[in-house]
Amino acid sequence: AQSVTQLDSQVPVFEEAPVELRCNYSSSVSVYLFWYVQYPNQGLQLLLKYLSGSTLVKGINGFEAEFNKSQTSFHLRKPSVHISDTAEYFCAVSRLRNKLSFGAGTTVTVRA
Amino acid sequence: GAVVSQHPSRVICKSGTSVKIECRSLDFQATTMFWYRQFPKQSLMLMATSNEGSKATYEQGVEKDKFLINHASLTLSTLTVTSAHPEDSSFYICSASWGNGNQPQHFGDGTRLSIL
């Protein structure tokens, strides 16, 4: 079985500052890794995914994440955030049959 | 591409009634659909996984007679909350995907269910 730990439940950040959201996973086998964003009262939108290949993954809205196998991490970063990036962010892993295990989520609040 | 439509977005009904929520993949064929429940300020809890034409697989602790799932076609799955009670009030989200593990899930916008 796999589990996901998002190390920060809340991350306040000023507009145009960088942000990093930390995600660690535990699994005895290779997994696929995802970051999703959820805006209030909406479903989840895929930001980016790691399946194989380059460990640095670029996603939508200027986000990127780096897969680190030795540290079993998949941290999400953005060099300069906007007010519109205020949302809930979920890290997730899957192995077989597309079944996802989600982290508890990180609330990002961007302030002017 | 990969759009999932969920309907209705919000429903309010009396205790004891049954409520049906639809989940449609609009531009792809979903071999697998998932139903989640999300409590306020919490992560998504997987309720069940459904594959087209076969019975849904429910997660431990989820009552299959309470939450009926039908996946009759490659583009439609429904969740029916039977004899709903106030404790069933929640945000329900569906997702759909194809393939066997390396395809991401695409999510609907969720249904806010309120039982009075």
Side-chain angles (χ1 to χ4, degrees):
Chain A
Q2 55 262 21
S3 67
V4 182
T5 302
Q6 289 184 241
L7 297 162
D8 309 290
S9 61
Q10 298 198 23
V11 174
V13 58
F14 286 106
E15 193 174 20
E16 297 184 6
V19 70
E20 178 181 77
L21 307 184
R22 296 179 292 169
C23 173
N24 286 90
Y25 68 94
S26 62
S27 176
S28 57
V29 297
S30 296
V31 296
Y32 306 115
L33 297 157
F34 306 86
W35 274 99
Y36 286 89
V37 60
Q38 184 180 31
Y39 299 103
N41 295 309
Q42 293 186 25
L44 276 65
Q45 180 182 5
L46 179 67
L47 281 177
L48 47 79
K49 61 183 184 284
Y50 173 79
L51 305 179
S52 64
S54 173
T55 57
L56 183 62
V57 180
K58 293 189 182 299
I60 63 171
N61 300 343
F63 285 93
E64 63 179 33
E66 186 158 17
F67 169 61
N68 188 317
K69 188 175 181 179
S70 63
Q71 297 186 6
T72 60
S73 68
F74 191 54
H75 300 335
L76 180 72
R77 301 184 185 94
K78 184 169 182 177
S80 176
V81 297
H82 303 290
I83 297 290
S84 59
D85 292 322
T86 295
E88 189 79 14
Y89 292 80
F90 292 98
C91 180
V93 302
S94 76
R95 186 171 73 90
L96 292 175
R97 303 182 188 282
N98 307 42
K99 192 172 176 179
L100 286 171
S101 295
F102 285 94
T106 298
T107 303
V108 173
T109 304
V110 182
R111 300 168 180 168
Chain B
V3 178
V4 175
S5 172
Q6 190 173 338
H7 178 81
S9 59
R10 185 178 181 93
V11 59
I12 302 171
C13 60
K14 293 181 179 179
S15 183
T17 58
S18 293
V19 179
K20 180 184 283 189
I21 303 170
E22 291 188 349
C23 181
R24 293 179 185 273
S25 57
L26 298 186
D27 52 1
F28 66 99
Q29 293 188 324
T31 51
T32 309
M33 287 187 167
F34 303 84
W35 288 95
Y36 296 87
R37 184 172 180 176
Q38 186 179 31
F39 293 100
K41 305 293 185 183
Q42 294 188 28
S43 189
L44 280 71
M45 180 189 78
L46 180 65
M47 299 173 66
T49 304
S50 74
N51 293 291
E52 184 265 339
S54 60
K55 291 184 178 180
T57 302
Y58 289 80
E59 296 299 303
Q60 192 172 11
V62 178
E63 300 176 59
K64 58 182 67 176
D65 294 331
K66 175 75 169 177
F67 300 99
L68 301 178
I69 292 172
N70 183 278
H71 191 165
S73 76
L74 283 171
T75 60
L76 173 64
S77 177
T78 60
L79 167 68
T80 301
V81 183
T82 61
S83 186
H85 289 95
E87 58 266 28
D88 298 324
S89 299
S90 193
F91 193 55
Y92 293 88
I93 307 175
C94 74
S95 71
S97 70
W98 67 95
N100 271 331
N102 63 352
Q103 297 300 327
Q105 293 181 27
H106 300 277
F107 288 80
D109 279 342
T111 297
R112 175 74 59 192
L113 175 62
S114 300
I115 308 297
L116 304 177

CSV table of all heavy atoms in Angstrom, one decimal, chain B residues 62-102:
chain,number,residue,atom,x,y,z
B,62,VAL,N,-17.9,1.6,3.4
B,62,VAL,CA,-18.9,2.3,2.6
B,62,VAL,C,-20.0,1.3,2.3
B,62,VAL,O,-19.8,0.2,1.8
B,62,VAL,CB,-18.3,2.7,1.2
B,62,VAL,CG1,-19.3,3.4,0.4
B,62,VAL,CG2,-17.1,3.7,1.5
B,63,GLU,N,-21.2,1.7,2.6
B,63,GLU,CA,-22.4,0.8,2.5
B,63,GLU,C,-22.8,0.8,1.0
B,63,GLU,O,-23.3,1.8,0.5
B,63,GLU,CB,-23.5,1.3,3.3
B,63,GLU,CG,-23.2,1.4,4.8
B,63,GLU,CD,-24.4,2.1,5.6
B,63,GLU,OE1,-25.5,1.5,5.5
B,63,GLU,OE2,-24.2,3.1,6.2
B,64,LYS,N,-22.7,-0.4,0.4
B,64,LYS,CA,-23.1,-0.5,-1.0
B,64,LYS,C,-24.6,-0.4,-1.2
B,64,LYS,O,-25.0,0.0,-2.3
B,64,LYS,CB,-22.5,-1.8,-1.6
B,64,LYS,CG,-23.0,-3.1,-0.9
B,64,LYS,CD,-22.3,-4.3,-1.5
B,64,LYS,CE,-20.8,-4.3,-1.3
B,64,LYS,NZ,-20.2,-5.5,-1.8
B,65,ASP,N,-25.4,-0.7,-0.2
B,65,ASP,CA,-26.8,-0.6,-0.4
B,65,ASP,C,-27.3,0.9,-0.2
B,65,ASP,O,-28.4,1.2,-0.6
B,65,ASP,CB,-27.5,-1.5,0.6
B,65,ASP,CG,-27.3,-2.9,0.4
B,65,ASP,OD1,-27.1,-3.3,-0.8
B,65,ASP,OD2,-27.3,-3.7,1.3
B,66,LYS,N,-26.4,1.6,0.5
B,66,LYS,CA,-26.7,3.0,0.7
B,66,LYS,C,-26.3,3.9,-0.5
B,66,LYS,O,-27.0,4.8,-0.9
B,66,LYS,CB,-26.0,3.5,2.0
B,66,LYS,CG,-26.0,4.9,2.3
B,66,LYS,CD,-27.4,5.3,2.9
B,66,LYS,CE,-27.4,6.6,3.5
B,66,LYS,NZ,-28.8,7.0,4.0
B,67,PHE,N,-25.2,3.6,-1.0
B,67,PHE,CA,-24.6,4.3,-2.1
B,67,PHE,C,-24.5,3.4,-3.4
B,67,PHE,O,-23.6,2.6,-3.6
B,67,PHE,CB,-23.2,4.8,-1.8
B,67,PHE,CG,-23.2,5.8,-0.6
B,67,PHE,CD1,-22.8,5.3,0.7
B,67,PHE,CD2,-23.6,7.1,-0.7
B,67,PHE,CE1,-22.8,6.1,1.8
B,67,PHE,CE2,-23.5,7.9,0.4
B,67,PHE,CZ,-23.2,7.5,1.6
B,68,LEU,N,-25.6,3.5,-4.2
B,68,LEU,CA,-25.7,2.6,-5.4
B,68,LEU,C,-25.0,3.3,-6.5
B,68,LEU,O,-25.2,4.4,-6.9
B,68,LEU,CB,-27.2,2.4,-5.7
B,68,LEU,CG,-28.0,1.8,-4.6
B,68,LEU,CD1,-29.5,1.6,-5.1
B,68,LEU,CD2,-27.5,0.4,-4.2
B,69,ILE,N,-24.1,2.5,-7.1
B,69,ILE,CA,-23.3,3.0,-8.3
B,69,ILE,C,-23.6,2.2,-9.5
B,69,ILE,O,-23.6,0.9,-9.5
B,69,ILE,CB,-21.8,3.0,-7.9
B,69,ILE,CG1,-21.5,4.0,-6.9
B,69,ILE,CG2,-21.0,3.2,-9.2
B,69,ILE,CD1,-20.1,3.9,-6.3
B,70,ASN,N,-23.9,2.9,-10.6
B,70,ASN,CA,-24.1,2.2,-11.9
B,70,ASN,C,-23.2,2.8,-12.9
B,70,ASN,O,-23.1,4.0,-13.0
B,70,ASN,CB,-25.6,2.4,-12.3
B,70,ASN,CG,-25.9,1.7,-13.6
B,70,ASN,OD1,-25.6,2.2,-14.6
B,70,ASN,ND2,-26.5,0.5,-13.4
B,71,HIS,N,-22.5,2.0,-13.7
B,71,HIS,CA,-21.6,2.4,-14.7
B,71,HIS,C,-22.0,1.7,-16.0
B,71,HIS,O,-21.4,0.8,-16.5
B,71,HIS,CB,-20.2,2.1,-14.3
B,71,HIS,CG,-19.1,2.8,-15.2
B,71,HIS,ND1,-17.8,2.8,-14.8
B,71,HIS,CD2,-19.2,3.4,-16.4
B,71,HIS,CE1,-17.1,3.4,-15.7
B,71,HIS,NE2,-17.9,3.8,-16.7
B,72,ALA,N,-23.1,2.2,-16.6
B,72,ALA,CA,-23.8,1.5,-17.7
B,72,ALA,C,-23.1,1.7,-19.0
B,72,ALA,O,-23.3,0.9,-19.9
B,72,ALA,CB,-25.2,2.0,-17.8
B,73,SER,N,-22.3,2.8,-19.1
B,73,SER,CA,-21.7,3.0,-20.4
B,73,SER,C,-20.3,3.6,-20.2
B,73,SER,O,-19.9,3.9,-19.0
B,73,SER,CB,-22.5,3.9,-21.3
B,73,SER,OG,-22.3,5.3,-20.8
B,74,LEU,N,-19.5,3.7,-21.2
B,74,LEU,CA,-18.1,4.2,-21.1
B,74,LEU,C,-18.1,5.7,-20.9
B,74,LEU,O,-17.0,6.3,-20.7
B,74,LEU,CB,-17.3,3.9,-22.3
B,74,LEU,CG,-16.8,2.4,-22.4
B,74,LEU,CD1,-16.2,2.1,-23.8
B,74,LEU,CD2,-15.8,2.1,-21.3
B,75,THR,N,-19.3,6.4,-20.8
B,75,THR,CA,-19.3,7.8,-20.6
B,75,THR,C,-20.2,8.2,-19.5
B,75,THR,O,-20.3,9.4,-19.2
B,75,THR,CB,-19.7,8.6,-21.9
B,75,THR,OG1,-21.0,8.1,-22.2
B,75,THR,CG2,-18.8,8.3,-23.1
B,76,LEU,N,-20.8,7.3,-18.8
B,76,LEU,CA,-21.8,7.7,-17.8
B,76,LEU,C,-21.7,6.8,-16.5
B,76,LEU,O,-21.7,5.5,-16.7
B,76,LEU,CB,-23.2,7.7,-18.3
B,76,LEU,CG,-24.3,7.9,-17.3
B,76,LEU,CD1,-24.2,9.3,-16.7
B,76,LEU,CD2,-25.7,7.7,-17.9
B,77,SER,N,-21.6,7.4,-15.4
B,77,SER,CA,-21.7,6.6,-14.1
B,77,SER,C,-22.6,7.4,-13.2
B,77,SER,O,-22.6,8.7,-13.3
B,77,SER,CB,-20.4,6.5,-13.4
B,77,SER,OG,-20.5,5.8,-12.2
B,78,THR,N,-23.5,6.7,-12.4
B,78,THR,CA,-24.3,7.4,-11.5
B,78,THR,C,-24.1,6.9,-10.1
B,78,THR,O,-23.8,5.7,-9.9
B,78,THR,CB,-25.8,7.2,-11.9
B,78,THR,OG1,-26.1,5.8,-11.9
B,78,THR,CG2,-26.1,7.8,-13.3
B,79,LEU,N,-24.3,7.8,-9.2
B,79,LEU,CA,-24.3,7.5,-7.7
B,79,LEU,C,-25.6,7.9,-7.2
B,79,LEU,O,-26.1,9.0,-7.3
B,79,LEU,CB,-23.2,8.3,-7.0
B,79,LEU,CG,-23.2,8.3,-5.5
B,79,LEU,CD1,-22.9,6.9,-4.9
B,79,LEU,CD2,-22.2,9.3,-4.9
B,80,THR,N,-26.3,6.9,-6.6
B,80,THR,CA,-27.6,7.2,-5.9
B,80,THR,C,-27.5,7.0,-4.4
B,80,THR,O,-27.1,5.9,-4.0
B,80,THR,CB,-28.7,6.2,-6.5
B,80,THR,OG1,-28.8,6.4,-7.9
B,80,THR,CG2,-30.0,6.6,-5.8
B,81,VAL,N,-27.7,8.1,-3.7
B,81,VAL,CA,-27.7,8.0,-2.3
B,81,VAL,C,-29.2,7.7,-1.9
B,81,VAL,O,-30.1,8.5,-2.1
B,81,VAL,CB,-27.3,9.4,-1.7
B,81,VAL,CG1,-27.2,9.3,-0.1
B,81,VAL,CG2,-26.0,9.8,-2.2
B,82,THR,N,-29.4,6.5,-1.4
B,82,THR,CA,-30.7,6.0,-1.1
B,82,THR,C,-31.1,6.4,0.4
B,82,THR,O,-30.3,6.4,1.3
B,82,THR,CB,-30.8,4.5,-1.2
B,82,THR,OG1,-29.9,3.9,-0.3
B,82,THR,CG2,-30.4,4.1,-2.6
B,83,SER,N,-32.4,6.8,0.5
B,83,SER,CA,-32.9,7.1,1.8
B,83,SER,C,-31.9,8.0,2.6
B,83,SER,O,-31.4,7.7,3.7
B,83,SER,CB,-33.2,5.9,2.6
B,83,SER,OG,-33.9,6.2,3.8
B,84,ALA,N,-31.7,9.2,2.0
B,84,ALA,CA,-30.6,10.0,2.5
B,84,ALA,C,-31.0,10.6,3.9
B,84,ALA,O,-32.2,10.9,4.1
B,84,ALA,CB,-30.3,11.2,1.5
B,85,HIS,N,-30.0,10.8,4.7
B,85,HIS,CA,-30.2,11.4,6.0
B,85,HIS,C,-29.2,12.5,6.2
B,85,HIS,O,-28.2,12.6,5.4
B,85,HIS,CB,-30.0,10.3,7.1
B,85,HIS,CG,-31.1,9.3,7.2
B,85,HIS,ND1,-31.1,8.1,6.5
B,85,HIS,CD2,-32.3,9.4,7.8
B,85,HIS,CE1,-32.2,7.5,6.7
B,85,HIS,NE2,-33.0,8.2,7.5
B,86,PRO,N,-29.4,13.4,7.2
B,86,PRO,CA,-28.5,14.5,7.3
B,86,PRO,C,-27.0,14.2,7.4
B,86,PRO,O,-26.2,15.0,6.9
B,86,PRO,CB,-29.0,15.2,8.7
B,86,PRO,CG,-30.4,14.8,8.7
B,86,PRO,CD,-30.6,13.5,8.1
B,87,GLU,N,-26.7,13.0,7.9
B,87,GLU,CA,-25.3,12.7,8.0
B,87,GLU,C,-24.7,12.3,6.6
B,87,GLU,O,-23.4,12.2,6.5
B,87,GLU,CB,-25.1,11.5,9.0
B,87,GLU,CG,-25.8,10.2,8.6
B,87,GLU,CD,-27.2,10.2,9.3
B,87,GLU,OE1,-27.7,11.2,9.7
B,87,GLU,OE2,-27.6,9.0,9.6
B,88,ASP,N,-25.5,12.2,5.6
B,88,ASP,CA,-25.0,12.0,4.3
B,88,ASP,C,-24.7,13.3,3.6
B,88,ASP,O,-24.1,13.3,2.4
B,88,ASP,CB,-26.1,11.2,3.4
B,88,ASP,CG,-26.4,9.9,4.0
B,88,ASP,OD1,-25.5,9.2,4.5
B,88,ASP,OD2,-27.6,9.5,4.0
B,89,SER,N,-25.0,14.4,4.2
B,89,SER,CA,-24.7,15.7,3.6
B,89,SER,C,-23.2,15.8,3.5
B,89,SER,O,-22.4,15.5,4.4
B,89,SER,CB,-25.2,16.8,4.5
B,89,SER,OG,-26.6,16.8,4.6
B,90,SER,N,-22.8,16.2,2.3
B,90,SER,CA,-21.3,16.2,2.0
B,90,SER,C,-21.1,16.7,0.6
B,90,SER,O,-22.1,17.1,-0.1
B,90,SER,CB,-20.7,14.8,2.1
B,90,SER,OG,-19.3,14.8,2.1
B,91,PHE,N,-19.8,16.8,0.2
B,91,PHE,CA,-19.5,17.2,-1.2
B,91,PHE,C,-19.0,15.9,-1.8
B,91,PHE,O,-18.1,15.2,-1.4
B,91,PHE,CB,-18.3,18.2,-1.1
B,91,PHE,CG,-18.0,18.9,-2.4
B,91,PHE,CD1,-19.0,19.5,-3.1
B,91,PHE,CD2,-16.7,18.9,-3.0
B,91,PHE,CE1,-18.8,20.2,-4.3
B,91,PHE,CE2,-16.5,19.6,-4.2
B,91,PHE,CZ,-17.5,20.2,-4.8
B,92,TYR,N,-19.7,15.5,-2.9
B,92,TYR,CA,-19.4,14.3,-3.6
B,92,TYR,C,-18.8,14.6,-5.0
B,92,TYR,O,-19.3,15.5,-5.7
B,92,TYR,CB,-20.7,13.4,-3.9
B,92,TYR,CG,-21.3,12.9,-2.6
B,92,TYR,CD1,-22.2,13.7,-1.8
B,92,TYR,CD2,-20.9,11.7,-2.1
B,92,TYR,CE1,-22.7,13.2,-0.7
B,92,TYR,CE2,-21.4,11.2,-0.9
B,92,TYR,CZ,-22.3,11.9,-0.2
B,92,TYR,OH,-22.9,11.5,1.0
B,93,ILE,N,-17.7,14.0,-5.2
B,93,ILE,CA,-16.9,14.3,-6.5
B,93,ILE,C,-16.7,13.0,-7.2
B,93,ILE,O,-16.3,12.0,-6.6
B,93,ILE,CB,-15.5,14.9,-6.2
B,93,ILE,CG1,-15.7,16.1,-5.3
B,93,ILE,CG2,-14.8,15.3,-7.5
B,93,ILE,CD1,-14.3,16.7,-4.8
B,94,CYS,N,-16.9,13.0,-8.6
B,94,CYS,CA,-16.6,11.9,-9.4
B,94,CYS,C,-15.3,12.2,-10.2
B,94,CYS,O,-14.9,13.3,-10.4
B,94,CYS,CB,-17.7,11.5,-10.3
B,94,CYS,SG,-17.9,12.6,-11.7
B,95,SER,N,-14.7,11.1,-10.7
B,95,SER,CA,-13.6,11.3,-11.6
B,95,SER,C,-13.6,10.1,-12.6
B,95,SER,O,-14.3,9.1,-12.4
B,95,SER,CB,-12.2,11.3,-10.9
B,95,SER,OG,-11.9,10.0,-10.4
B,96,ALA,N,-12.9,10.3,-13.7
B,96,ALA,CA,-12.9,9.3,-14.7
B,96,ALA,C,-11.5,9.2,-15.3
B,96,ALA,O,-10.8,10.2,-15.4
B,96,ALA,CB,-13.9,9.7,-15.8
B,97,SER,N,-11.2,8.0,-15.8
B,97,SER,CA,-9.9,7.8,-16.4
B,97,SER,C,-10.0,6.7,-17.4
B,97,SER,O,-11.0,5.9,-17.4
B,97,SER,CB,-8.8,7.6,-15.4
B,97,SER,OG,-8.9,6.3,-14.8
B,98,TRP,N,-8.9,6.5,-18.2
B,98,TRP,CA,-8.8,5.3,-19.0
B,98,TRP,C,-7.4,4.7,-18.8
B,98,TRP,O,-6.6,5.3,-18.2
B,98,TRP,CB,-9.0,5.7,-20.5
B,98,TRP,CG,-8.0,6.6,-21.0
B,98,TRP,CD1,-6.9,6.3,-21.8
B,98,TRP,CD2,-7.9,8.1,-20.9
B,98,TRP,NE1,-6.1,7.4,-22.1
B,98,TRP,CE2,-6.7,8.5,-21.6
B,98,TRP,CE3,-8.7,9.0,-20.3
B,98,TRP,CZ2,-6.4,9.8,-21.7
B,98,TRP,CZ3,-8.3,10.4,-20.4
B,98,TRP,CH2,-7.2,10.7,-21.1
B,99,GLY,N,-7.2,3.5,-19.2
B,99,GLY,CA,-5.9,2.9,-19.1
B,99,GLY,C,-5.8,2.2,-17.8
B,99,GLY,O,-6.8,2.0,-17.0
B,100,ASN,N,-4.6,1.8,-17.4
B,100,ASN,CA,-4.4,0.9,-16.3
B,100,ASN,C,-3.5,1.4,-15.2
B,100,ASN,O,-2.9,0.6,-14.5
B,100,ASN,CB,-3.9,-0.5,-16.8
B,100,ASN,CG,-5.0,-1.4,-17.1
B,100,ASN,OD1,-6.1,-1.3,-16.5
B,100,ASN,ND2,-4.8,-2.3,-18.0
B,101,GLY,N,-3.4,2.7,-15.1
B,101,GLY,CA,-2.5,3.1,-14.0
B,101,GLY,C,-1.7,4.4,-14.3
B,101,GLY,O,-1.4,5.1,-13.4
B,102,ASN,N,-1.4,4.6,-15.5
B,102,ASN,CA,-0.5,5.8,-15.8
B,102,ASN,C,-1.3,6.9,-16.4
B,102,ASN,O,-0.7,7.9,-16.8
B,102,ASN,CB,0.6,5.4,-16.7
B,102,ASN,CG,0.2,4.9,-18.0
B,102,ASN,OD1,-1.0,4.8,-18.2
B,102,ASN,ND2,1.1,4.7,-19.0
